[in-house]
């Protein structure tokens, strides 16, 4: 790569053009060749390009995409990286991605040529002994603990000559609110210029989005690679779109723009910041599918007074920039103290130096001036006695609280900063921790900061976690002064203390932490749990706390039956699968695992640690999270499964690809499904949606429309109690065409087919992907033909055409995929549902289509003028306009009119008798009786029978 850049530099000098522009244009051409490598047969490449390709020592990244879906602060992120080896021999491709330290990886998949490697989350067998803990001190801890760093995920594989590989990484995180905003960060560091680079961030907040902003790329460690300016505008090519509750942000720089940012391909962190509208009372409580999450972030409250002791490391290792930046930050922080605050300063190395002995002083101009002088005169020398420094500060604060009868409505805290490990005095971490906990005795909080790379971060984190604080890392090469000031700003304005959030014990269970010592301005308290009573109607919430003026008590009742508010499945930008639609449940699992890991980290009891580890491990396996107690094991799809063809695709990502083990191609099937041989009947629901029912014995077809609402889930087939099969279809909305008679259109965006015999399984189909879950979860793109099956359930995909689902060999459904290259405003990618084989469905089947499968109808006429022979049509084959045509269905007479309707992708027409008014009298009951609560609703839970 070095030679590549050098050679392009030489070309630019010869031509007289600016080097960056020529380099970028040349690379844009060569990279686009690589990105289309799998499709091209023969394409001319300049002689210089061929030389450069031969000299290139690593595979070229043809495509790097990141797609994130953020729903109520919970972020699902999928990273896809496609590499092309255009050389004449195999080369190793390395995928490297920085992810937030607070995130959980949920899966990783590699597709190298025609070989697929998938990740399975497995339990670790490692025993966490004291020796293990001491040895792991240098590594990041299993909890975020206020940690703002990043971890690096790295994987590699050998890519054969003239082929490509795709790496897909999935991770999830709950965004923390700091300084009044949520910040979503994604690392864009492919380490080379990329032919196709795209970051897409979709945000859905039901309470409303405010203050959306995209700052410039952040890359403090590589400042030399990009121009440093005061410009605060978004990165080039960024597009921001926003409605009241939805936002979409994209970043897709061309190769020219990439080269202008950083030729090395280390572009930095792409950041999206935003906040939400919030209720001034108990906060935002969201409920969905038996789980709840409670966001509490009050504002406009008077701040509580602070009693703060600053403890600063002044050992010899702080010499130079670190101590200078620490002093600069403290000068600013002292200016921000409020008149009602009290403070003191302790400097420590191998000796302890207290600014004001045995007291905390009020904030006055003279005291601030003297404190600055004391800090200015601090000089680095000696070792690091962490234990004595903490005990001295705790004793100072304890004595001040006891002697001065401190108002209960104030907040006391210690801010402790160091750049090293204990080298003087007590050096054993376990003893320092026990001493600290005993000295503080739950009377105030300890906040720790570590500067640089030689810090015992695990010790600092446990010190803060065990004493109701948090730890923050500050990289030595970064602007430490700004980092320190930013950390203080997060905790510098306490608004509430002694917060407790209660719910009725008989209404909820497995609730996460609900008692908090302090609430700081700009932060947020998040609680989640399970509902015990799903049909209780409401959830009672009580919040008690203290602020500067009084004790407060807030109460409210939250409606439990509000699925439409929190159900995001019908939102236009939210096309991901069950993970995103169960975002509240996954928020609960994320918080619960984090708390279990924190408790495990704090505990010194062997039996308790074992219990906490087992509980966290079990929950992580259930939700497919990589934690310190679980790991990702890569497995190759067995060669005995030739009919599964999964090719690199970024459509519909945001859904994690899980284990393929257990999904096998049916014996004797061809490598590719036969695109021409597809057997479907006229019985269907397609288009807007238009329903057609074929009655072969009666030699006629009946049709009707359902004018549902976007988000409605229609029960199409319901035979859960007998054959075990249920089919539900979810509607998506679109504007009506100009001069149309409708106000809006609706289409099927998702078809969910459930089967509980012999084992429970389901298939979820959208226009971009198919999810098969029969105990092992598989996600397949719709733009690649494939066939897979197991346990009596088989799924066949014809690329961009249709999906066939066969159950037990006696039931089969065909789902047509309707996609538009350039859709009009009233068009949406959608699905059509066709019943191909209904032999296995019982006579008691129901649903909008299922109720007619084992019934026949009879056509009669009621002449409008005199008597006329009973005939469905005139001799010419057209309906008799003078007669009122009636269908006799299940003893009911239904007026109908003759129509022609297009089916099968609009390529064929069917003659049918049309029932008006949402199939009034044709279907049992009214169409609202066929609305399902969620895509996986079989009707069994609410006692639904097959006969309405």
């Amino acid at each position: 790569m070095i030679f590549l850049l050098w050679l392009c530099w030489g070309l630019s000098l010869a031509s007289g053009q600016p080097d960056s522009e020529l380099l970028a244009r040349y690379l844009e051409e060569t990279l686009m060749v690589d990105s289309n490598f799998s499709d091209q047969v023969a394409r001319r490449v300049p002689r210089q390009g061929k030389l450069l390709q031969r000299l290139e020592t690593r595979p070229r990244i043809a495509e790097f995409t990141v797609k994130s879906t953020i729903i109520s602060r919970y972020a699902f992120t999928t990273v896809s990286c496609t590499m092309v080896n255009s050389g004449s021999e195999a080369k190793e491709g390395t995928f490297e991605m920085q992810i937030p330290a607070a995130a959980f990886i949920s899966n990783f998949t590699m597709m190298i040529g025609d070989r697929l490697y998938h990740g399975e989350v497995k339990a670790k067998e490692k025993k966490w002994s004291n020796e293990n803990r001491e040895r792991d001190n240098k590594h990041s801890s299993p909890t975020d603990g206020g940690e703002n760093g990043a971890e690096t995920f790295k994987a590699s594989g050998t890519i054969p000559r003239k082929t490509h590989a795709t790496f897909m990484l999935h991770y999830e995180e709950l965004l923390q609110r700091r300084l009044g905003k949520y910040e979503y960060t994604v690392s864009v560091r492919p380490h080379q210029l990329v032919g196709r680079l795209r970051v897409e961030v979709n945000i859905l907040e039901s309470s409303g989005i405010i203050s959306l902003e995209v700052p410039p790329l952040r890359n403090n460690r590589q400042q030399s690679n990009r121009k440093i300016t005061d410009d605060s505008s978004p990165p080039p090519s960024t597009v921001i779109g926003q409605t009241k509750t939805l936002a979409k942000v994209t970043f897709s720089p061309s190769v020219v723009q990439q080269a202008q940012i950083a030729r090395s391909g280390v572009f930095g962190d792409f950041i999206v910041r935003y906040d939400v509208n919030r209720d001034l009372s108990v906060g935002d409580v969201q409920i969905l599918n038996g789980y709840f999450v409670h966001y509490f972030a009050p504002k406009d409250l008077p701040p509580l007074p602070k009693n703060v002791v600053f403890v600063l490391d002044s050992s010899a290792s702080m010499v130079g920039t670190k101590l200078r930046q620490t002093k600069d930050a403290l000068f600013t922080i002292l200016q921000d103290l409020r008149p009602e605050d009290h403070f003191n300063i302790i400097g420590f190395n191998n000796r302890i130096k207290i600014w004001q002995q045995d007291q905390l002083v009020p904030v006055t101009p003279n005291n601030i001036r003297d404190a600055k002088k004391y800090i200015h005169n601090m000089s680095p020398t000696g070792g690091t006695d962490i234990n004595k420094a903490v005990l001295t500060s705790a004793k100072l604060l304890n004595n001040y609280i006891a002697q001065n009868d401190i108002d209960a409505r104030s907040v006391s805290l210690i801010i402790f900063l160091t750049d090293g490990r204990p080298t003087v005095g007590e050096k054993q971490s376990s003893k320092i921790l026990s001493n600290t906990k005993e000295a503080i005795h739950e009377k105030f909080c300890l906040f720790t900061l570590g500067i640089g790379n030689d810090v015992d971060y695990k010790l600092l984190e446990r010190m803060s976690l065990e004493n109701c604080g948090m730890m923050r890392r500050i990289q030595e090469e970064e602007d430490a002064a700004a980092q320190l000031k930013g950390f203080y700003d997060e905790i510098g304005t306490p608004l509430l203390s002694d917060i407790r959030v209660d719910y009725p014990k008989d209404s909820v269970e497995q609730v996460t932490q609900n008692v908090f010592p302090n609430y700081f301005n700009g932060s947020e308290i998040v609680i989640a749990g399970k509902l015990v009573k799903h049909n209780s109607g409401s959830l009672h919430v009580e919040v008690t706390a203290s602020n500067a003026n009084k004790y407060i008590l807030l109460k409210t009742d939250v409606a439990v039956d509000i699925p439409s508010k929190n159900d995001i499945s019908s939102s236009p930008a939210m096309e991901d699968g069950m993970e995103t639609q169960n975002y509240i449940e996954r928020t609960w699992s994320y918080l619960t695992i984090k708390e279990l890991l924190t408790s495990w980290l704090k505990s010194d009891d062997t039996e308790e640690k074992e219990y906490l580890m087992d509980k966290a491990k079990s929950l992580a396996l259930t939700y497919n999270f990589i934690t310190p107690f679980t790991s990702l094991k890569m497995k190759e799809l067995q060669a005995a499964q030739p009919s599964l063809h999964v090719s690199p695709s970024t459509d519909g990502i945001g859904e994690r690809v899980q284990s393929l083990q257990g999904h096998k191609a049916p014996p004797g099937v061809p490598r590719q499904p036969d695109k021409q041989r597809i057997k479907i009947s006229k019985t269907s629901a397609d288009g807007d949606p238009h329903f057609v029912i074929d009655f072969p014995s009666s030699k006629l077809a009946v049709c009707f429309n359902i004018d549902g609402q976007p988000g409605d889930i229609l029960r199409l087939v319901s035979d859960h109690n007998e054959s075990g099969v249920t089919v539900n279809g979810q509607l998506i909305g679109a504007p009506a065409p100009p001069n149309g008679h409708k106000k809006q259109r609706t289409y099927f965006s998702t078809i969910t087919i459930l089967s509980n015999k012999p084992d429970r399984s389901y298939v979820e189909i959208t226009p971009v992907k198919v999810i098969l879950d029969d105990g092992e979860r598989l996600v397949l793109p719709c733009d690649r033909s494939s066939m897979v099956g197991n346990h009596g359930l088989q799924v066949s995909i014809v690329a961009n055409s249709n999906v066939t689902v066969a159950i037990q060999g006696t039931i089969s459904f065909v789902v047509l995929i309707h996609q538009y290259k350039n859709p009009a405003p009233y068009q949406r990618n959608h699905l059509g549902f066709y019943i191909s084989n209904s032999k296995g469905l019982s006579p008691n089947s129901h649903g909008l289509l299922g109720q007619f499968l084992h019934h026949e109808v009879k056509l009669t006429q009621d002449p409008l003028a005199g008597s006329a022979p009973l005939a469905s049509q005139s001799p010419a084959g057209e309906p008799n306009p003078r007669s009122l045509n009636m269908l006799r269905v299940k003893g009911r007479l239904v007026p109908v009119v003759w129509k022609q309707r297009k089916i099968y992708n609009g390529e064929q027409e069917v003659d049918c008798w049309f029932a008006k008014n949402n199939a009034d009298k044709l279907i049992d009951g009214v169409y609202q009786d066929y609305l399902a609560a969620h895509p996986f609703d079989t009707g069994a839970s609410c006692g639904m029978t097959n006969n309405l």
Side-chain angles (χ1 to χ4, degrees):
M1 190 62 183
I2 296 175
F3 187 84
L4 172 62
L5 295 176
W6 175 85
L7 180 58
C8 290
W9 175 276
L11 289 173
S12 69
L13 291 178
S15 62
Q17 296 184 16
D19 64 289
S20 60
E21 183 179 355
L22 179 60
L23 168 65
R25 289 179 179 174
Y26 175 77
L27 289 178
E28 185 163 28
E29 294 179 5
T30 58
L31 293 180
M32 294 308 292
V33 170
D34 279 344
S35 67
N36 295 319
F37 174 78
S38 58
D39 299 325
Q40 67 179 8
V41 178
R43 180 169 178 173
R44 289 181 57 88
V45 180
R47 181 182 304 174
Q48 298 93 335
K50 293 180 180 179
L51 173 62
L52 294 174
Q53 290 176 1
R54 288 198 300 269
L55 294 174
E56 179 61 69
T57 59
R58 58 177 174 171
R60 165 64 51 193
I61 296 179
E63 186 170 5
F64 182 89
T65 62
V66 180
K67 183 176 181 181
S68 175
T69 302
I70 303 171
I71 312 169
S72 291
R73 296 77 148 169
Y74 195 77
F76 302 83
T77 302
T78 297
V79 183
S80 176
C81 178
T82 299
M83 297 183 183
V84 175
N85 178 12
S86 54
S88 58
E89 58 184 21
K91 296 177 183 177
E92 184 178 58
T94 300
F95 169 72
E96 187 173 317
M97 183 70 186
Q98 290 184 10
I99 66 172
F104 283 146
I105 293 174
S106 55
N107 211 345
F108 176 66
T109 304
M110 296 189 299
M111 290 169 277
I112 302 178
D114 58 356
R115 304 178 72 176
L116 175 64
Y117 302 86
H118 60 280
E120 292 182 348
V121 178
K122 298 292 185 181
K124 282 185 180 178
E125 300 300 329
K126 180 178 179 180
K127 302 298 182 181
W128 294 88
S129 64
N130 289 331
E131 292 181 1
N132 295 138
R133 293 201 301 269
E134 292 298 327
R135 185 174 65 247
D136 290 342
N137 273 348
K138 292 185 178 180
H139 301 292
S140 59
S141 65
T143 70
D144 61 275
E147 158 83 67
N148 65 330
E151 297 176 349
T152 300
F153 177 89
K154 191 173 184 179
S156 60
T158 301
I159 306 176
R161 59 183 293 274
K162 305 295 183 182
T163 189
H164 60 251
T166 297
F167 302 85
M168 293 184 70
L169 176 68
H170 307 257
Y171 61 88
E172 302 174 21
E173 61 181 313
L174 179 64
L175 302 184
Q176 295 184 14
R177 188 170 183 256
R178 290 173 176 163
L179 302 177
K181 289 193 177 181
Y182 306 98
E183 181 174 288
Y184 174 77
T185 302
V186 60
S187 174
V188 187
R189 294 174 170 88
H191 293 280
Q192 55 180 273
L193 303 185
V194 180
R196 293 194 181 105
L197 188 151
R198 179 179 175 85
V199 177
E200 178 181 319
V201 181
N202 295 293
I203 305 172
L204 171 60
E205 296 286 351
S206 58
S207 56
I209 300 171
I210 60 173
S211 305
L212 178 66
E213 64 179 44
V214 181
L217 293 169
R218 181 176 64 195
N219 194 3
N220 291 338
R221 301 183 188 182
Q222 301 290 341
Q223 287 286 7
S224 59
N225 285 347
R226 65 182 180 91
K227 298 177 181 179
I228 303 175
T229 68
D230 295 329
D231 185 13
S232 60
S233 59
S237 80
T238 301
V239 178
I240 304 173
Q242 181 181 357
T243 64
K244 182 180 179 181
T245 59
L246 285 169
K248 182 174 183 178
V249 180
T250 60
F251 170 60
S252 51
S254 65
V255 178
V256 173
Q257 291 170 319
Q258 293 175 43
Q260 292 170 346
I261 298 171
R263 295 184 193 174
S264 65
V266 182
F267 305 121
D269 293 328
F270 184 77
I271 302 168
V272 178
R273 296 192 187 109
Y274 72 96
D275 199 15
V276 299
N277 288 311
R278 55 189 77 252
D279 191 348
L280 296 181
S281 60
V282 298
D284 181 16
V285 181
Q286 300 183 18
I287 298 173
L288 185 65
N289 296 339
Y291 291 83
F292 76 90
V293 62
H294 183 182
Y295 300 101
F296 181 61
K299 59 181 181 179
D300 299 328
L301 295 173
L304 290 165
K306 296 191 300 294
N307 312 304
V308 56
V309 178
F310 299 98
V311 185
L312 309 177
D313 187 345
S314 61
S315 61
S317 59
M318 287 286 289
V319 67
T321 303
K322 284 188 287 188
L323 186 57
R324 177 181 57 79
Q325 291 187 327
T326 300
K327 291 179 178 181
D328 291 342
L330 260 294
F331 292 157
T332 306
I333 289 171
L334 290 174
Q335 287 298 135
D336 289 346
L337 291 175
R338 296 182 178 85
E340 61 270 20
D341 296 338
H342 292 74
F343 73 105
N344 202 339
I345 302 168
I346 295 177
F348 75 97
N349 39 54
N350 54 321
R351 299 172 55 196
I352 308 299
K353 303 174 184 177
I354 306 176
W355 172 49
Q356 297 288 340
Q357 291 292 332
D358 302 327
Q359 64 174 325
L360 269 67
V361 300
V363 175
T364 65
N366 289 338
N367 286 337
I368 295 297
R369 180 198 61 204
D370 294 344
K372 288 182 177 180
K373 289 180 180 179
Y374 175 78
I375 294 172
H376 176 75
N377 292 328
M378 290 177 66
S379 59
T381 183
T384 307
D385 193 344
I386 290 178
N387 182 70
K388 192 172 182 179
V390 173
L391 296 184
T392 302
S393 60
K395 181 180 179 181
L396 178 66
L397 196 50
N398 272 316
N399 290 341
Y400 176 76
I401 293 173
Q403 296 171 6
N404 293 275
D405 190 24
I406 296 301
D407 188 349
R409 299 189 189 100
S410 66
V411 172
S412 300
L413 49 91
I414 296 173
I415 299 178
F416 185 93
L417 180 146
T418 183
D419 76 329
R421 301 170 177 271
T423 60
V424 177
E426 181 60 65
K427 302 176 186 178
Q428 188 176 351
S429 294
S430 58
K431 188 64 175 175
I432 295 174
L433 290 168
S434 61
N435 289 344
T436 302
K437 193 170 184 179
E438 183 179 352
I440 293 178
H441 204 60
E442 298 183 354
K443 292 183 179 178
F444 43 83
C445 297
L446 171 65
F447 296 85
T448 58
L449 298 100
I451 302 180
N453 300 318
D454 192 35
V455 181
D456 188 345
Y457 283 111
K458 198 161 191 177
L459 172 61
L460 292 186
E461 182 171 40
R462 285 199 62 180
M463 287 171 61
S464 61
L465 288 178
E466 292 181 359
N467 297 282
C468 72
M470 61 182 178
M471 184 269 292
R472 182 64 51 81
R473 290 188 184 189
I474 304 212
Q475 296 299 330
E476 188 172 347
E477 61 267 36
E478 294 179 354
D479 185 355
Q483 293 283 313
L484 288 168
K485 179 59 169 62
F487 177 78
Y488 174 78
D489 288 343
E490 292 182 36
I491 62 174
T493 309
L495 298 183
L496 295 174
S497 63
D498 302 323
I499 305 105
R500 182 182 182 91
V501 184
D502 289 309
Y503 315 90
K505 293 183 178 180
D506 60 348
S507 299
V508 298
E509 62 181 359
Q510 300 185 43
V511 177
T512 59
Q513 178 185 352
N514 68 325
V515 177
F516 305 87
N518 303 301
Y519 165 73
F520 298 101
N521 188 40
S523 64
E524 184 171 59
I525 289 174
V526 185
I527 308 162
K530 288 184 176 182
L531 296 178
V532 176
K533 300 178 180 179
H534 293 203
N535 301 320
S536 61
S538 65
L539 175 65
H540 185 70
V541 182
E542 288 189 6
V543 179
T544 57
S546 300
N547 73 355
N549 298 326
K550 58 192 173 188
Y551 292 98
I552 61 173
L553 172 62
L554 304 172
K555 298 181 181 181
T556 193
D557 290 313
V558 181
V560 172
D561 187 20
I562 50 172
S564 60
K565 177 183 176 183
N566 301 319
D567 186 358
I568 53 84
S569 55
S570 60
S571 299
M574 305 298 157
E575 296 181 351
D576 291 330
M578 283 308 299
E579 276 73 19
T580 52
Q581 294 185 25
N582 286 338
Y583 67 97
I584 293 182
E585 179 180 351
R586 297 192 74 81
T587 301
W588 168 81
S589 67
Y590 176 95
L591 287 173
T592 303
I593 294 173
K594 286 287 184 182
E595 290 183 5
L596 289 170
L597 295 176
T598 299
S599 299
W600 175 87
L601 184 67
K602 292 162 58 175
S603 175
D604 290 317
D605 182 87
T606 304
E607 291 186 4
E608 183 184 29
K609 289 184 78 73
E610 191 73 21
Y611 168 77
L612 293 169
M613 180 179 68
D614 290 342
K615 196 170 181 181
K617 184 188 300 181
S618 174
L619 203 57
L621 291 173
T622 300
Y623 290 93
N624 221 64
F625 286 147
I626 309 303
T627 70
F629 309 134
T630 53
S631 59
L632 196 65
K633 302 295 184 182
M634 301 303 295
K635 288 190 176 182
E636 182 179 1
L637 187 67
Q638 298 177 3
Q641 304 172 0
S643 4
L644 180 62
H645 301 275
V646 182
S647 300
S649 171
T650 59
D651 285 340
I653 60 176
E655 184 75 38
R656 56 189 166 89
V657 181
Q658 293 197 351
S659 172
L660 299 178
Q661 186 180 18
H663 297 280
K664 298 181 179 180
V669 298
R671 283 188 61 87
Q672 294 288 345
D674 191 341
K675 192 169 183 177
Q676 302 302 322
R677 298 178 182 177
I678 173 172
K679 178 185 177 183
I680 52 180
S681 71
K682 298 175 183 177
T683 302
S684 60
D686 205 340
D688 188 13
H690 302 318
F691 290 75
V692 177
I693 302 133
D694 187 28
F695 295 96
S697 299
S698 303
K699 297 183 179 180
L700 55 83
V702 178
C703 51
F704 60 91
N705 294 345
I706 293 294
D707 295 328
Q709 296 298 315
D712 282 354
I713 301 171
L714 304 182
R715 187 171 284 111
L716 304 177
V717 176
S718 178
D719 196 27
H720 177 78
N721 294 332
E722 304 212 20
S723 68
V725 174
T726 303
V727 181
N728 295 325
Q730 185 159 10
L731 298 178
I732 188 174
N739 304 319
H741 65 283
K742 287 187 176 183
K743 293 183 179 180
Q744 67 175 356
R745 285 187 166 190
T746 53
Y747 304 93
F748 285 118
S749 63
T750 306
I751 299 292
T752 306
I753 301 171
L754 303 101
S755 174
N756 67 346
K757 294 180 181 180
D759 299 312
R760 180 167 176 79
S761 57
Y762 72 84
V763 181
E764 184 181 8
I765 304 169
T766 73
V768 295
K769 66 190 169 193
V770 176
I771 303 173
L772 168 61
D773 193 329
D774 57 1
E776 298 289 345
R777 190 177 181 81
L778 172 65
V779 181
L780 298 170
C782 289
D783 62 353
R784 297 292 185 269
S785 295
S786 59
M787 186 177 292
V788 65
N790 206 358
H791 304 302
L793 180 68
Q794 298 176 3
V795 178
S796 174
I797 303 175
V798 176
N800 298 317
S801 176
N802 60 76
V803 179
T804 300
V805 179
I807 303 173
Q808 299 296 319
T810 59
I811 303 171
S812 60
F813 306 115
V814 176
V815 178
L816 299 187
I817 301 171
H818 303 289
Q819 293 181 323
Y820 301 92
K821 291 184 178 179
N822 299 298
Y826 53 85
Q827 293 175 323
R828 294 287 185 272
N829 292 340
H830 65 280
L831 304 172
F833 175 74
Y834 293 77
I835 298 178
S836 178
N837 183 0
S838 61
K839 291 181 180 179
L841 295 172
S842 75
N844 292 323
S845 297
H846 212 268
L848 287 169
L849 293 175
Q851 63 185 296
F852 301 106
L853 296 177
H854 295 277
H855 290 274
E856 290 298 326
V857 297
K858 185 178 181 181
L859 183 67
T860 63
Q861 288 187 338
D862 184 10
L864 298 178
S867 62
L870 295 178
S872 62
Q873 295 180 348
S874 66
E878 298 296 326
N880 189 341
R882 297 183 179 180
S883 298
L884 179 61
N885 297 285
M886 308 288 288
L887 279 179
R888 185 175 297 276
V889 183
K890 300 180 183 181
R892 301 187 294 267
L893 287 176
V894 184
V896 292
V897 296
W898 183 81
K899 268 196 173 186
Q900 284 189 324
R901 176 151 286 174
K902 291 184 177 181
I903 58 174
Y904 307 151
N905 280 330
E907 297 174 357
Q908 299 185 27
E909 288 187 343
V910 59
D911 296 334
C912 63
W913 292 96
F914 180 74
K916 300 180 179 180
N917 301 324
N918 279 325
D920 183 36
K921 297 183 181 179
L922 176 67
I923 59 175
D924 296 335
V926 295
Y927 95 88
Q928 287 86 350
D929 297 328
Y930 298 83
L931 296 180
H934 52 80
F936 299 88
D937 183 8
T938 62
S941 60
C942 58
M944 175 183 174
T945 64
N946 283 345
N947 295 314
L948 293 175

